[in-house]
Amino acid sequence: MVDQLPSIFDQYKPDINSALKSGLQYKCCSLLSSSNENLNNILSYGMGWTDKFGNPINISGGKLLRPTLCLFAAEATGGSVDQAIKTAIALEYIHNFSLFHDDIQDQDEIRHHRPTLWCVWGEPKAIVAGNVLRSIADITLSELLNLTIKDADAVTINKIMSTGYLEMIEGQFLDLSYESRRNITTQEYLDMISRKTGSLIRCSMELGAHIGSQDKRVIAAFRGSGKALGYLFQITDDVLGIWGDAEKTGKPVGQDIARKKNSLPVVHALSKADKKQSKILETIYSKNELKQNDVEEVLNIMDTIGTKNYIKSLTYKYSDAALESFHSARVEDGFVNKFEELVQFLVTRDH
């Protein structure tokens, strides 16, 4: 496992953070009522910029993966940060809108080592804040017409983005519908995460490539690479949700088991367990609340049937697919090296 983020995160982080903050501040001031300072505070807290009182803070928040991929893809295919920055921050606004709502639906109380939005301000305000952020993303995309981007390309970017986050919402619906089921197949689960998590990651690469290149072959290569990255990111996230270090993930060890969440390791264990193991799992998951010894029993079964090894094989499958598709775009070696570093990080990350 690694602590160090790949170089491309540091490369684009200042531009992304500056554009996110100025974009949100401007739109809140110009489009929302001046009396709605509390909403601005809620949004700033949700983005990780302030505490609940509106005081600026410096915490280790999200990785800004999606806007980073968008800017990287744009530059790798001949475009610029200035051309892609609006699209990049719109992706991050959409991602955070989904997190605001996802935390409510999953009843998650902690994210990035502090209380989630709904825990501080309540569910209704958190829902509204998410809706506002999604609207701000749409408005941000409308500003593409003021940049050096053709009108037809701006329409295409809007369509790809809108289709992508609709697919993300569909994935969240599937995830919720799977909560009460114990017979989900691994393929059903993989199809779900390709929507819930994978859609915006795929869009990030595709949109960046569309901004930087008019070559359909190149755009398709980046889209395919982004699709594989989406699987890889969520599968590794599922590993961290069960075997991750609480100090680094900000979530308790074994949380996905304790919450009876159908993450990939759990789905695999339930589908591959023998009769005796299935009976034990059925007894455990029939309980209203799981205790630590229940979590340990599930972990023992996973160890016996090789769940972790299965997950590891999938990470290699999708990391290889991401690299193969990216290499087919035939971009400059410097970008290839940075992408390979990113993929290695996603395979081995610990947070």
Side-chain angles (χ1 to χ4, degrees), residues 108 237-247 249-263 265-266 284-285 290-299 302:
D108 281 337
D237 223 38
D238 285 355
V239 170
L240 296 177
I242 289 180
W243 292 288
D245 184 335
E247 289 187 6
T249 64
K251 298 178 181 180
V253 174
Q255 176 177 261
D256 286 354
I257 295 174
R259 290 174 46 213
K260 299 193 289 186
K261 183 178 180 180
N262 282 324
S263 64
V266 173
I284 290 173
Y285 278 94
L290 303 193
K291 297 181 180 179
Q292 185 57 34
N293 64 306
D294 295 317
V295 173
E296 291 173 0
E297 185 67 43
V298 175
L299 286 171
M302 287 181 176

Side-chain angles (χ1 to χ4, degrees), residues 96-339:
N96 279 274
F97 136 70
S98 74
L99 296 183
F100 293 179
H101 288 189
D102 194 34
D103 285 339
I104 296 170
Q105 291 162 341
D106 291 346
Q107 292 293 284
D108 281 337
E109 298 180 357
I110 299 293
R111 183 176 290 278
H112 301 312
H113 306 276
R114 65 180 191 156
T116 48
L117 204 68
W118 72 270
C119 280
V120 179
W121 280 281
E123 293 184 12
K125 287 184 178 178
I127 292 171
V128 170
N131 291 341
V132 169
L133 205 54
R134 201 214 73 176
S135 298
I136 287 174
D138 290 337
I139 295 168
T140 300
L141 283 181
S142 73
E143 296 168 350
L144 290 175
L145 297 174
N146 300 325
L147 301 176
T148 56
I149 292 179
K150 296 177 182 178
D151 289 359
D153 289 332
V155 170
T156 299
I157 290 168
N158 268 277
K159 182 178 179 180
I160 293 171
M161 180 84 78
S162 299
T163 303
Y165 73 68
L166 177 61
E167 194 176 332
M168 174 194 72
I169 294 169
E170 179 192 17
Q172 175 65 1
F173 179 84
L174 288 172
D175 193 21
L176 291 170
S177 70
Y178 289 168
E179 284 183 354
S180 58
R181 287 180 53 189
R182 295 286 167 247
N183 61 343
I184 304 166
T185 66
T186 54
Q187 189 57 54
E188 284 178 316
Y189 182 84
L190 291 170
D191 289 344
M192 181 272 291
I193 64 172
S194 75
R195 292 169 171 79
K196 180 180 176 179
T197 303
S199 59
L200 283 192
I201 293 176
R202 184 194 70 234
C203 282
S204 300
M205 292 285 280
E206 180 180 6
L207 289 168
H210 187 89
I211 291 168
S213 172
Q214 298 298 313
D215 189 326
K216 291 182 179 180
R217 178 190 62 81
V218 171
I219 295 170
F222 273 74
R223 175 186 170 87
S225 186
K227 183 176 181 179
L229 284 183
Y231 284 115
L232 177 59
F233 184 86
Q234 185 58 54
I235 290 168
T236 306
D237 223 38
D238 285 355
V239 170
L240 296 177
I242 289 180
W243 292 288
D245 184 335
E247 289 187 6
K248 294 179 178 178
T249 64
K251 298 178 181 180
V253 174
Q255 176 177 261
D256 286 354
I257 295 174
R259 290 174 46 213
K260 299 193 289 186
K261 183 178 180 180
N262 282 324
S263 64
L264 184 57
V266 173
V267 170
H268 178 263
L270 289 169
S271 64
K272 298 299 181 181
D274 61 27
K275 271 191 174 182
K276 182 180 178 181
Q277 293 165 337
S278 293
K279 189 171 182 179
I280 293 171
L281 291 172
E282 185 180 342
T283 300
I284 290 173
Y285 278 94
S286 65
K287 298 178 180 180
N288 291 328
E289 186 175 338
L290 303 193
K291 297 181 180 179
Q292 185 57 34
N293 64 306
D294 295 317
V295 173
E296 291 173 0
E297 185 67 43
V298 175
L299 286 171
N300 288 335
I301 291 174
M302 287 181 176
D303 187 52
T304 301
I305 63 179
T307 293
K308 203 169 185 179
N309 288 335
Y310 166 75
I311 303 297
K312 192 174 184 179
S313 71
L314 284 183
T315 63
Y316 290 137
K317 171 185 174 180
Y318 289 113
S319 63
D320 288 347
L323 290 169
E324 181 180 356
S325 189
F326 187 84
H327 288 155
S328 72
R330 298 172 190 166
V331 300
E332 293 178 6
D333 288 346
F335 292 107
V336 173
N337 294 337
K338 288 180 180 181
F339 188 74

